[in-house]
Amino acid sequence: MRISCFRGFTIRRVALVLPAMACLLAAPAYSDDEEEFAKERERMVSEDIARSEWWGERQGVKNEAVLKAMRTVPRHLFVPEQHVDRAYGDYPLPIGYGQTISQPYIVAFMTELLKPKPEGIALEIGTGSGYQAAILAQVVKKVYTIEIVEALADSAAKRVAELGYGNIETRQGDGYYGWPEHGPFDAIIVTAAASHIPPPLIEQLKPGGRMVIPVGSPFGSQYLFLIEKAKDGSVTQRNVLPVRFVPLTRAKETEPAAAGKSEP
Ligand code: SAH
């Protein structure tokens, strides 16, 4: 009796434990990783992005929708494989072709400056990895994004489609001229440093709209500018933060995108 009781108990235990073990063994490896990445995003937001005490000109980002987007979008899927373990560090990372994915704080700060609205339409110049576009896509209705390097434009288009960001439309081309077919825009973000503010982008800004753009020399000092177009169409600009971005490059005059356009 005792033995059968013991055996029954053992069999029940084995019957419970074995499937649990099998479950653990069969569980996809990424589930642990995903949990780890989610923790890293949490840390990134609380320590690097939302934190309010900073020295110098840096200020914590407060916009809740932007913070939520930073907690949600899997940045590690936007960086090259060899940099995945550094995906949530507060620095830019190389994405190939001499380009970089911006530092998370700057992505969040620039997005907040745009005062994004859920019904808004945004334009990004400099798709790169597609990360900034994915962040914007969480806080506005639709994002149009232009990338000049064909290989990056192609890989970003594939990435955002695979990740299911259905409200992002990508295009390869010189973003200096904007995307007039879809304008005017509530928000325009340029993620490469321009020598001057491209007039076509100001034209494509809606009255009441905002644009953020780094302006300065390619390897010298650059400042992030916030441009606001008032309801009456008047435009004001202010310099918000010293920054370091890769340069906004230009399509050759012979390329169709640039044909017939004049450039200051
Ligand atoms: N926003 C990107 C990072 C941008 S790096 C991200 O989240 O990953 C700047 C990008 O701007 C580079 O990919 C560069 O190729 C692109 N770029 C530079 N000049 C451009 C132009 N005239 N039009 C469109 N893209 C441009």
Side-chain angles (χ1 to χ4, degrees):
M1 230 2 224
R2 273 179 79 190
I3 288 172
S4 71
C5 207
F6 180 68
R7 276 183 64 205
F9 173 72
T10 307
I11 287 165
R12 266 203 310 279
R13 271 189 68 165
V14 168
L16 285 173
V17 169
L18 271 185
M21 280 175 68
C23 253
L24 279 178
L25 291 174
Y30 66 75
S31 66
D32 275 359
D33 289 352
E34 288 309 315
E35 231 171 80
E36 202 44 52
F37 286 130
K39 273 191 213 150
E40 285 192 46
R41 281 197 292 280
E42 220 24 79
R43 187 216 54 78
M44 168 185 86
V45 168
S46 57
E47 291 177 20
D48 300 331
I49 298 176
R51 197 169 101 195
S52 51
E53 328 79 57
W54 288 103
W55 43 268
E57 288 158 279
R58 189 157 163 163
Q59 346 161 347
V61 170
K62 295 187 187 68
N63 183 311
E64 274 306 325
V66 174
L67 295 177
K68 186 174 172 205
M70 299 299 295
R71 283 192 190 99
T72 311
V73 175
R75 181 172 164 95
H76 61 282
L77 300 181
F78 291 80
V79 305
E81 225 174 305
Q82 68 267 33
H83 298 305
V84 163
D85 54 345
R86 304 202 301 143
Y88 294 100
D90 197 31
Y91 31 71
L93 286 169
I95 54 170
Y97 307 90
Q99 309 304 328
T100 54
I101 175 173
S102 307
Q103 146 189 24
Y105 170 78
I106 289 291
V107 171
F109 181 67
M110 287 173 82
T111 312
E112 179 175 66
L113 277 178
L114 292 172
K115 290 208 174 140
K117 293 184 194 76
E119 69 283 4
I121 310 288
L123 172 69
E124 179 194 26
I125 309 304
T127 316
S129 67
Y131 178 67
Q132 172 73 74
I135 293 291
L136 263 178
Q138 311 297 300
V139 294
V140 299
K141 189 165 118 200
K142 177 92 192 187
V143 179
Y144 294 93
T145 179
I146 308 176
E147 168 58 51
I148 200 165
V149 176
E150 200 167 340
L152 286 174
D154 291 349
S155 59
K158 197 164 159 261
R159 180 176 296 119
V160 297
E162 278 172 5
L163 292 175
Y165 297 109
N167 60 341
I168 300 179
E169 197 170 320
T170 63
R171 174 163 90 73
Q172 189 271 326
D174 183 352
Y176 183 93
Y177 303 108
W179 200 334
E181 297 83 349
H182 294 296
F185 302 97
D186 300 286
I188 300 180
I189 182 168
V190 182
T191 61
S195 60
H196 59 271
I197 300 165
L201 297 185
I202 295 189
E203 268 164 43
Q204 288 169 40
L205 197 58
K206 240 182 227 175
R210 294 180 140 221
M211 163 155 74
V212 285
I213 176 171
V215 180
S217 57
F219 303 102
S221 55
Q222 301 170 0
Y223 287 90
L224 196 61
F225 276 79
L226 169 65
I227 287 101
E228 290 176 85
K229 192 182 260 190
K231 294 277 182 207
D232 66 2
S234 61
V235 174
T236 53
Q237 64 179 61
R238 76 186 155 91
N239 153 354
V240 202
L241 192 72
V243 285
R244 177 62 57 105
F245 275 83
V246 295
L248 186 81
T249 54
R250 303 298 317 281
K252 291 186 196 76
E253 285 300 315
T254 48
E255 286 183 18
K261 310 271 182 167
S262 64
E263 179 192 342

